Amino acid sequence: MALPSTKKDAPDNGVSASFSVGGSGGPGGLGSNAQVFSMSRISTSGDLSNGIVAQSIGGGGGNGGSSSSGADGGKYSAAMSIGGFGGSGGTAGGAYVSNNGAIATLGNGSNGIFSQSVGGGGGNGGASSSTSSDGGSLNAMLSLGGSGANAGSGNVVYLSTLYQDYNAATGYSQGAPAGGIYLTTNGDNSQGILAQSIGGGGGYGGTRANKTYGFSSNFDSQYLGEAGGSGGA
């Protein structure tokens, strides 16, 4: 005589499914213009001591959130996970320097004038993972790593040591200084003028991982990182 089936022995004809998405990273803030107008005599003596520094730097984009999903049991078991997208890097503002004075530095790594515009880096994509198990007929999963974001661009870098430009920028009526306009550096790796416009680096694509147990059909993919930002004109 056959025994009655229990709930544990009964065939499972249901479907087990799971889906998750990581949050997106926020965009980086924009850099404002950096402006320096100087008619002073400047001297520095320590290492890494620049005479004038003007920098505008865009904010870095936020990283995408990670995500994971898992489906367990049922005749058909499926799990899908998508990593969050990275936030874009912020564009830098311009860096403007007008100098109508003398500058001297003595230490190593001490530039006379250092002017720089740097775009923010793009955020990285979020990681994702999916796990599917115990499907009676099929275990399936899809895992997508989040896309890395574009970086911000550098902007204009302008520098002048002409007193006429200084007057035009400030509205003053200064003449050439009595001792002349000169830049002197004495240490190693110390440029008289260092001007840079640099695009930020693009974010990395998120990683992904799949795990399954039993009969399975797997689908997985991964977004790649995006291009870095361009330098300013």
Side-chain angles (χ1 to χ4, degrees), residues 22-232:
S24 296
L30 303 179
S32 297
N33 290 337
Q35 299 176 312
V36 177
F37 306 107
S38 175
M39 61 179 184
S40 303
R41 297 176 64 87
I42 300 172
S43 62
T44 67
S45 58
D47 292 340
L48 305 176
S49 301
N50 301 306
I52 291 176
V53 176
Q55 285 183 316
S56 178
I57 303 175
N63 294 329
S66 60
S67 69
S68 62
S69 64
D72 184 6
K75 184 175 182 179
Y76 302 99
S77 182
M80 180 176 182
S81 177
I82 302 175
F85 290 1
S88 59
T91 298
Y96 303 88
V97 175
S98 182
N99 177 57
N100 191 35
I103 300 175
T105 67
L106 297 176
N108 296 325
S110 301
N111 306 299
I113 298 175
F114 179 43
S115 185
Q116 188 180 59
S117 175
V118 183
N124 299 321
S128 67
S129 63
S130 297
T131 301
S132 178
S133 62
D134 295 336
S137 297
L138 176 68
N139 290 331
M141 69 214 68
L142 173 65
S143 182
L144 299 173
S147 175
N150 286 325
S153 297
N155 215 316
V156 174
V157 175
Y158 172 84
L159 192 148
S160 175
T161 58
L162 299 176
Y163 71 87
Q164 296 92 337
D165 292 337
Y166 176 87
N167 291 339
T170 62
Y172 293 157
S173 298
Q174 299 290 329
I181 300 174
Y182 63 87
L183 302 174
T184 302
T185 64
N186 294 275
D188 295 334
N189 300 316
S190 302
Q191 288 77 29
I193 295 174
L194 179 58
Q196 295 177 321
S197 179
I198 303 174
Y204 292 105
T207 60
R208 82 284 185 272
N210 288 332
K211 292 183 180 180
T212 184
Y213 305 95
F215 179 75
S216 66
S217 177
N218 302 333
F219 308 92
D220 61 80
S221 181
Q222 179 179 9
Y223 284 103
L224 300 178
E226 298 294 342
S230 59

